[in-house]
Amino acid sequence: MLRRLSVFALVSTSLVASRDAGAFRDPGYLTERPVELASGDGQLVRRSVARPLPRTASAWKLFTGAHGTWQGLWDTASGVPLRIWGEGIATAGANADPAIAESAARQLLAAQLALLAPGTKLEHWQLVTNQAHGPGGALRTVAFAQVVDGLPVLGGAVSFLWKHDRMIVMGSTARPDVAVPPPRGALATAAATARASAWLAAAYGATPTVRAVGPRVIVPLLAEPTDDRPTVTYRVARVITLDLAAPRGRWDVYVDDATGAPLARTQLLRFGTGTLRYDAPVRYPGGGRQDFPAVGAAITAGGSPVTTDAAGSFSFAGAGPVTVTATVAGPQLQVYDDSAPGGTTTLSVSDGGTARWSAPTVARTDALLAGFVHGGLIKTFARTVLAPGLPWLASPLTVIVNEGGDCNAYSDGDAIHFLQAGSGCENTGRLADVVYHEFGHSLHFNSVVGGAGEFDVALSEGMSDYLAATRTGDPAMGLGFLVDEPATPVRHVDPPGREYAWPGDIDPDPHATGLIVAGAFWDLRTALAARDGAPGVAVADALYYAALSRAADIPSTYPEVLAADDDDGNLANGTPNRCLIDAAFGPHGLVAGAGFGVTPPTRDGFALTVGVTSSVGCPAPDVDRVTVTWRVAGGADASFELTRTGTTFAGALPTQADGTVVEYQVEAALASGSSVRFPDNPGDPYYQFYVGPLVPVYCTDFETDPFAAGWTHAATSANDDWQWGPPAPTGTSGDPTAAASGSNLVGQDLRGDGRYARNSIEQLSSPVIDVAGYQGVRLQFKRWLTVEDGFYDKATIVANATTVWSNHASASVDASTHSLDREWRDQDVDLAAAITGDTVQVHFTLASDEGLEFGGWNLDDFCIMARTGGPLAGVCGDGTVDTGEACDDGNTASGDGCSATCTVEPGEDGGGCCSTGAEPRGALLLGLATGLVALRRRRRA
């Protein structure tokens, strides 16, 4: 029970708000999330940061002071370190001797209890895992499960990983400060099952069957106090396992032991999402067929039972011919037709001859054959290559085909299930990719190292996609699913020109989120194969399985891959393939602070420069080309390539007339096949700048308190978390680590977890600014904004009462094009349409829903600018240097040092026109260059 609970520990900080668990394609009738709470909403993903949080900061300092160089990921809800990895702690004999490893683990747990499990006691921890694993048993994991007052704490675990007799990774999902009220009398079993059944019946209109009544457990639940800082509360609950035949589902329901109220339910079946087509048996119907050997089939030959070997061969008495009864079952694999008898046929074979079973036009039979062939192939791969010692692989795999319904397939954690054709979808049992994908879910479920890894749904979707792709050698995953478009994949693990990255591509659909980790492993496989050929693919697959076994979510795959790749028990000095690992995982957002060797573009007027650099211990990337795509705002795209000189790529955008806004983006294509794009922001993929001279009207760089100078902020719902000052030095929730200039900025939640509040409407307002007499008024500022797709969370700029800018908003509930700045961005906004009088006030707003939150607004170097004019504006040619004039020599003739528009002509000093004592704004025009003005500490209005 402890092992099962640790695998499905999804009702606290790892709640996953997605539509279905382990699914290939989301069935329309089952749209609930893998974990549903009886009240409140689940959290989309576990929040983690790469810095110690206050709860464990002192313990972390003591640990690193004693043990050297280490890194970590911390759970923002509990404050515990999800993973700590580093140079290792030597423990002679730990890898070979489980007793030595257990003793060392207990000593480490005792010494580091304040770091790994604050608020717990040693007696709360029971040994659940002490196993050697990995190639040749090179790794050993020792893990402890959390038990308080004799009750398992759902998901609470601490683990230690040894390699080369050095402890190199510690993990914790400890639940701190577990406190439950004394029991008021145990809830009767009949009452618990009745309440659980009624909850499901109300949701689905059908009465479930009770499959099992489990023990009492302590369930951690997220609570949202008024300050929007999540805390964990605990309930003692009875676990009731319920099953529904229609709609198909199976749940663990947690019923409060004191009140009888249902707390939460966990979907146990691994349903799938798909768009695959398959003709069977190679990939899909219509995609080619092949005579595969019937490996491990239990048949009768001449009336005698016999099992075929790896070549499909068997022996029988006499010279034949004999009658053979062929089946789709054997010691390793058993395929069943869900709704009809069958699965056998009668053939005749002579001595030395071949019998062939083929039914390409009979879909039900073809699904039986394809399920047997591809189920056998993927299981053999797992048993011989990935996990030779995994006990689950020693038992027969159950494959059920031709189930009722369509457009779906699922894993229940053990058996894999496939549905009939219909609604434009192929019979999924005939599709190799779907068979491999669903097997991946069962493999994941049974491979998780208890107390260290978790069956995270998005992680499992991505890892199952990679398994299918690596077996077929094709990142176009799921061919044949759609009958009318068999060549269109369900998902593409390596889509051209696209790198799914964390956290920008987190999606309510876990299949889309899974493409982040699937793409990282595919890129690693590609790089290793390019360098080493087939052995490189084997290394990639081995690293994949190591992460499958121990990762708790998508971000934690990176340290687990490093641990598996390590060769000396010291992760602080790198690993043999770290450069390739970083290059593969970095573009997917899974390597903190990775620069990938390509620097963001710098601009001087219309000139652009991009640099290529090496990182510590790794060579500079091989860049094939750097392409600039540009446009005049509102116009069509054009592109050109920058010219390479050494490690620098340079070129120039076409010059444009004053008053134009130019937008551009830069993409560096790497020889590895991946690419780096600037700006790296799906919701706002173009830099912009204004062409032409501008006059400053009001500017502030926020170095002094803006709220003492007329700026205001408020919230009309939830919390007002606008703050002024320096940002967190390590950055949180995608926020910057430093101001754009100076030390200070204005932003949302600068000193907490960095996220804007859920279900909130927050606003920052500038003072009312006098723009009387100015023409062409514009807003220019530095921005670092991270916000969910505008379909859900809306970031806007309002001038007076007019909305002048808002973040990208998709058109449907599948919206996932988030606006995520990863650098300070120059933003230019035309305010002319919003100004109807002599003043302007600018408001920055953010309205959020209850779901995904990022870092929100961060602002610096705010300026109201204008093309010309002002309170002291005069007439060019009147002999007086007025606002907006660089010189005025009393005429409008050109060629005499002062032009017809009162600007200094090239090669002239203006005849001393600027010493006439004009207001300072007139002299400022001399220093303004084409494009956005890099004003830092301007005079405030």
Side-chain angles (χ1 to χ4, degrees):
M1 184 63 183
L2 279 175
R3 179 181 179 277
R4 182 182 183 189
L5 292 177
S6 68
V7 172
F8 283 103
L10 299 175
V11 293
S12 59
T13 54
S14 55
L15 271 172
V16 180
S18 54
R19 296 191 183 95
D20 56 311
F24 195 82
R25 184 174 187 268
D26 178 23
Y29 59 80
L30 194 59
T31 57
E32 73 173 36
R33 296 166 290 195
V35 176
E36 288 288 340
L37 300 183
S39 61
D41 294 299
Q43 182 173 307
L44 182 65
V45 290
R46 173 187 282 124
R47 301 286 180 179
S48 59
V49 293
R51 60 180 178 84
L53 296 175
R55 183 68 188 270
T56 54
S58 296
W60 171 250
K61 184 176 181 180
L62 291 172
F63 173 76
T64 54
H67 298 292
T69 303
W70 296 75
Q71 299 179 62
L73 288 171
W74 274 261
D75 182 346
T76 57
S78 66
V80 303
L82 296 171
R83 286 294 186 276
I84 295 173
W85 66 96
E87 65 182 61
I89 300 173
T91 311
N95 278 93
D97 191 327
I100 293 175
E102 179 182 347
S103 176
R106 290 186 182 277
Q107 293 177 38
L108 282 166
L109 179 60
Q112 304 303 329
L113 196 65
L115 174 62
L116 297 173
T120 73
K121 303 176 182 178
L122 280 178
E123 56 263 32
H124 292 166
W125 297 98
Q126 295 183 3
L127 182 71
V128 290
T129 300
N130 188 345
Q131 72 179 69
H133 54 95
L139 302 171
R140 178 173 293 278
T141 292
V142 178
F144 301 88
Q146 192 172 2
V147 179
V148 176
D149 295 336
L151 299 178
V153 180
L154 202 64
V158 172
S159 65
F160 304 90
L161 176 66
W162 273 268
K163 190 172 187 179
H164 296 293
D165 288 339
R166 295 179 68 84
M167 195 288 296
I168 57 174
V169 178
M170 298 189 293
S172 176
T173 52
R175 312 308 186 189
D177 307 314
V178 174
V180 295
R184 297 184 298 182
L187 183 68
T189 299
T193 56
R195 293 291 296 272
S197 297
W199 187 29
L200 277 179
Y204 289 105
T207 302
T209 300
V210 179
R211 292 181 63 93
V213 178
R216 292 175 177 82
V217 299
I218 296 174
V219 177
L221 299 167
L222 276 180
E224 293 289 348
T226 55
D227 64 356
D228 198 40
R229 295 293 180 269
T231 59
V232 182
T233 60
Y234 300 96
R235 298 287 187 273
V236 176
R238 179 69 65 87
V239 185
I240 310 295
T241 303
L242 301 175
D243 194 278
L244 272 178
R248 188 74 185 98
R250 186 179 303 154
W251 294 263
D252 272 350
V253 180
Y254 302 92
V255 178
D256 193 306
D257 204 42
T259 67
L263 297 173
R265 63 179 183 259
T266 300
Q267 171 62 250
L268 300 181
L269 298 182
R270 303 298 140 227
F271 286 95
T273 311
T275 315
L276 291 171
R277 301 104 184 259
Y278 208 93
D279 191 16
V282 177
R283 291 283 292 280
Y284 62 94
R289 303 184 69 88
Q290 179 178 326
D291 286 343
F292 292 91
V295 180
I299 65 173
T300 60
S304 299
V306 64
T307 300
T308 60
D309 65 14
S313 302
F314 59 93
S315 301
F316 56 86
V322 297
T323 298
V324 172
T325 301
T327 73
V328 285
Q332 295 299 319
L333 189 73
Q334 297 177 348
V335 183
Y336 300 95
D337 190 310
D338 182 63
S339 54
T344 66
T345 194
T346 300
L347 304 167
S348 178
V349 63
S350 300
D351 183 14
T354 299
R356 181 171 177 265
W357 187 3
S358 176
T361 61
V362 184
R364 299 185 70 94
T365 303
D366 204 35
L368 287 166
L369 295 171
F372 183 79
V373 167
H374 292 297
L377 287 173
I378 194 64
K379 184 180 179 184
T380 298
F381 172 70
R383 190 178 68 248
T384 58
V385 176
L386 295 179
L390 184 64
W392 175 69
L393 292 172
S395 301
L397 172 68
T398 298
V399 181
I400 301 175
V401 299
N402 300 321
E403 286 196 11
D406 53 51
C407 295
N408 208 353
Y410 65 90
S411 159
D412 62 15
D414 188 5
I416 53 179
H417 303 249
F418 304 93
L419 276 58
Q420 301 174 35
S423 302
C425 303
E426 183 55 78
N427 184 312
T428 53
R430 305 174 77 186
L431 307 177
D433 294 20
V434 181
V435 174
Y436 300 158
H437 176 96
E438 298 307 334
F439 178 86
H441 285 309
S442 291
L443 178 66
H444 187 188
F445 178 87
N446 288 280
S447 297
V448 169
V449 175
E454 285 187 22
F455 190 92
D456 177 81
V457 178
L459 171 65
S460 193
E461 293 298 346
M463 299 298 254
S464 297
D465 275 357
Y466 173 80
L467 180 63
T470 193
R471 291 315 300 144
T472 63
D474 184 1
M477 206 286 300
L479 300 180
F481 188 84
L482 297 178
V483 173
D484 294 334
E485 302 175 44
T488 300
V490 173
R491 289 180 291 280
H492 205 295
V493 173
D494 189 30
R498 178 81 157 88
E499 300 286 2
Y500 285 83
W502 187 277
D505 290 307
I506 295 172
D507 193 280
D509 180 359
H511 309 92
T513 305
L515 288 171
I516 298 170
V517 71
F521 275 104
W522 183 264
D523 289 347
L524 179 59
R525 180 188 191 273
T526 301
L528 287 166
R531 189 188 68 186
D532 302 330
V537 173
V539 170
D541 289 343
L543 296 176
Y544 152 83
Y545 186 73
L548 187 79
S549 303
R550 283 186 42 92
D553 54 15
I554 288 175
S556 62
T557 57
Y558 172 70
E560 297 300 344
V561 168
L562 292 181
D565 190 52
D566 170 69
D567 62 350
D568 65 357
N570 184 349
L571 296 184
N573 64 2
T575 70
N577 296 296
R578 183 184 67 83
C579 295
L580 291 183
I581 293 169
D582 283 2
F585 279 63
H588 296 277
L590 300 178
V591 183
F596 324 126
V598 182
T599 62
T602 58
R603 183 181 62 82
D604 183 5
F606 290 96
L608 296 177
T609 303
V610 173
V612 180
T613 63
S614 59
S615 57
V616 177
C618 298
D622 187 359
V623 178
D624 283 342
R625 62 188 177 279
V626 176
T627 303
V628 177
T629 300
W630 72 279
R631 64 192 182 193
V632 171
D637 283 351
S639 62
F640 63 93
E641 291 188 9
L642 299 181
T643 301
R644 181 169 192 162
T645 304
T647 59
T648 300
F649 290 81
L653 292 158
T655 57
Q656 303 296 321
D658 287 358
T660 302
V661 174
V662 177
E663 300 177 333
Y664 68 97
Q665 59 182 210
V666 175
E667 183 172 9
L670 308 184
S672 64
S674 62
S675 61
V676 179
R677 178 173 293 175
F678 301 103
D680 183 11
N681 185 336
D684 191 2
Y686 287 86
Y687 298 115
Q688 63 174 193
F689 66 94
Y690 174 82
V691 178
L694 294 171
V695 176
V697 180
Y698 168 94
C699 293
T700 176
D701 56 9
F702 298 124
E703 287 307 294
T704 57
D705 185 356
F707 305 128
W711 286 74
T712 60
H713 57 96
T716 58
S717 66
N719 295 336
D720 174 9
D721 60 7
W722 285 98
Q723 295 174 332
W724 167 74
T730 56
T732 54
S733 300
D735 283 341
T737 59
S741 69
S743 301
N744 297 322
L745 59 93
V746 174
Q748 292 180 278
D749 195 20
L750 298 181
R751 290 177 281 279
D753 65 7
R755 291 184 288 133
Y756 51 83
R758 64 178 60 184
N759 286 322
S760 70
I761 302 175
E762 302 181 56
Q763 180 168 290
L764 172 75
S765 300
S766 75
V768 175
I769 299 165
D770 184 2
V771 294
Y774 288 98
Q775 303 296 319
V777 178
R778 310 185 73 82
L779 167 64
Q780 296 186 342
F781 65 99
K782 299 284 189 181
R783 178 199 86 195
W784 191 310
L785 171 67
T786 55
V787 62
E788 188 182 12
D789 191 300
F791 186 89
Y792 295 107
D793 291 354
K794 301 183 185 303
T796 57
I797 302 174
V798 177
N800 294 336
T802 302
T803 298
V804 292
W805 182 88
S806 59
N807 62 307
H808 171 84
S810 299
S812 74
V813 294
D814 295 325
S816 60
T817 306
H818 313 312
S819 293
L820 302 174
D821 289 335
R822 304 178 197 275
E823 59 186 309
W824 283 104
R825 297 275 298 272
D826 289 314
Q827 185 156 358
D828 173 272
V829 182
D830 188 352
L831 301 183
I835 300 174
T836 57
D838 293 337
T839 63
V840 66
Q841 185 177 31
V842 178
H843 312 276
F844 296 90
T845 69
L846 200 152
S848 65
D849 66 0
E850 75 282 354
L852 182 63
E853 298 87 37
F854 292 104
W857 284 108
N858 295 278
L859 307 170
D860 207 350
D861 294 345
F862 174 99
C863 272
I864 299 296
M865 308 290 290
R867 288 199 303 271
T868 59
L872 303 179
V875 177
C876 180
D878 64 359
T880 301
V881 178
D882 300 304
T883 299
E885 297 177 348
C887 60
D888 194 325
D889 58 0
N891 64 65
T892 56
S894 297
D896 58 359
C898 186
S899 74
T901 58
C902 289
T903 60
V904 177
E905 293 178 315
E908 303 291 345
D909 64 4
C913 70
C914 296
S915 61
T916 61
E919 191 198 16
R921 277 196 294 260
L924 272 176
L925 186 59
L926 290 173
L928 296 176
T930 299
L932 287 176
V933 184
L935 296 172
R936 284 294 181 265
R937 292 175 176 81
R938 302 188 180 90
R939 181 182 61 80
R940 294 174 180 80

